[in-house]
Amino acid sequence: MVENTAHINARNLNLWFETKQVLHNVNFPVYDKKITALIGPSGCGKSTLLRCFNRMNDLIPNCHIEGKITLYDQNIYNSKVDITEIRTKVGMVFQQPNPFPKSIFNNVAFGLQLRRMKKSRINEIVEDSLKSVWIWDEVKDRLHHSAFSLSGGQQQRLCIARALANDPDIILLDEPTSALDPQSTAKIEELCLALKDKVTILIVTHNIAQAGRISDYTGFMYLGEMLEFAKTKTLFTVPKDKRAEAYLTGVFG
């Protein structure tokens, strides 16, 4: 059996906010065209780790990072790296849907317009991106209406379409369904399963059942450490770490 390929890796990653160390020597691969979930109790560093992959923690004062994250053998923390290019290759969708105060069309086209792409090509990519998240038929007759006219679930799919429009290597999802109703949550989960043929997905979730339903690999974090990383089925059925077992069985959360 051929081993899955990982072109994205965290290696000996440590992070401090001022003098407080939040991540401790984190190592794990993110396998290509797979869904990798990060789980663990609140405050264990999952979202902080996720934001390392597109250098969003750089925006926080007094944040210091050691170690590296490699994207196709390029260390994204190399001082010569173009951060804008990294954030194009690494899309991100947040916990709360955050469409821009623009039209549905311009939300998806925003990054393409900044790159001065031809209008015909932009139109094509916007349509393809909206079709990829199963929202095209719902919005094709109102593309120039405000994105805020959409429901919460539609807004979140629009944000995923906005990320996909830039043709990323990986999409980061930070608890993307925590603000949604069960029906919208189910649609986002189904969408993730469909998208993994096109893009690598790294998702933070507090919903253990969700990780079990959609992820191929899962990392369990506790107090800033990656205590266990394995195929989801393996971690969920025969965890090696007692704290992972306690978390998965509801002893603590």
Side-chain angles (χ1 to χ4, degrees):
M1 181 177 177
V2 177
E3 184 64 36
N4 289 317
T5 304
H7 288 308
I8 303 164
N9 292 274
R11 296 176 178 170
N12 304 317
L13 193 68
N14 294 275
L15 179 144
W16 292 261
F17 292 132
E18 296 186 341
T19 59
K20 181 182 179 182
Q21 187 168 2
V22 178
L23 298 178
H24 300 263
N25 201 40
V26 174
N27 291 272
F28 75 105
V30 182
Y31 289 108
D32 294 3
K33 306 299 190 293
K34 301 291 183 184
I35 300 175
T36 298
L38 299 176
I39 64 170
S42 297
C44 69
K46 302 184 299 296
S47 292
T48 297
L49 174 59
L50 190 77
R51 290 194 296 267
C52 289
F53 281 81
N54 67 347
R55 294 191 54 170
M56 284 203 69
N57 290 313
D58 292 15
L59 304 174
I60 300 174
N62 301 312
C63 176
H64 172 64
I65 295 175
E66 293 180 358
K68 60 185 179 180
I69 289 177
T70 55
L71 178 64
Y72 289 89
D73 295 324
Q74 179 186 42
N75 178 14
I76 69 170
Y77 284 94
N78 187 307
S79 59
K80 297 179 181 179
V81 163
D82 183 337
I83 297 178
T84 300
E85 182 182 353
I86 292 299
R87 291 178 182 157
T88 299
K89 292 179 178 178
V90 185
M92 187 159 190
V93 176
F94 297 91
Q95 182 174 355
Q96 295 284 345
N98 65 333
F100 300 146
K102 298 175 179 290
S103 69
I104 294 166
F105 180 92
N106 284 329
N107 261 270
V108 183
F110 182 74
L112 309 174
Q113 292 165 339
L114 289 178
R115 287 151 60 187
R116 301 185 181 279
M117 201 171 278
K118 288 185 178 179
K119 187 174 180 180
S120 60
R121 181 61 179 145
I122 290 176
N123 291 340
E124 181 183 338
I125 293 174
V126 168
E127 181 174 343
D128 287 345
S129 299
L130 291 171
K131 284 180 175 177
S132 292
V133 300
W134 309 333
I135 201 175
W136 172 254
D137 289 337
E138 300 168 39
V139 304
K140 63 183 179 183
D141 296 325
R142 51 187 177 126
L143 290 175
H144 299 292
H145 291 195
S146 169
F148 297 128
S149 67
L150 300 175
S151 70
Q154 289 174 323
Q155 287 184 23
Q156 196 66 303
R157 281 187 283 152
L158 177 67
C159 292
I160 296 173
R162 186 174 67 198
L164 288 173
N166 291 309
D167 192 25
D169 294 311
I170 178 173
I171 290 183
L172 312 176
L173 303 176
D174 192 1
E175 297 187 60
T177 62
S178 64
L180 304 181
D181 60 65
Q183 185 176 4
S184 297
T185 293
K187 186 159 282 190
I188 294 291
E189 290 182 5
E190 189 179 354
L191 175 60
C192 287
L193 290 169
L195 286 176
K196 74 175 185 178
D197 289 335
K198 301 178 181 179
V199 66
T200 302
I201 297 173
L202 180 59
I203 180 171
V204 164
T205 179
H206 274 113
N207 188 330
I208 297 173
Q210 181 175 78
R213 285 191 295 267
I214 70 171
S215 68
D216 301 288
Y217 292 86
T218 297
F220 172 69
M221 294 194 68
Y222 185 68
L223 298 179
E225 294 184 59
M226 181 72 73
L227 293 186
E228 187 164 353
F229 181 87
K231 289 184 177 180
T232 299
K233 184 176 180 180
T234 300
L235 194 149
F236 275 53
T237 54
V238 284
K240 295 178 181 178
D241 190 281
K242 293 296 182 184
R243 289 160 292 186
E245 181 179 7
Y247 180 75
L248 290 167
T249 55
V251 174
F252 74 97

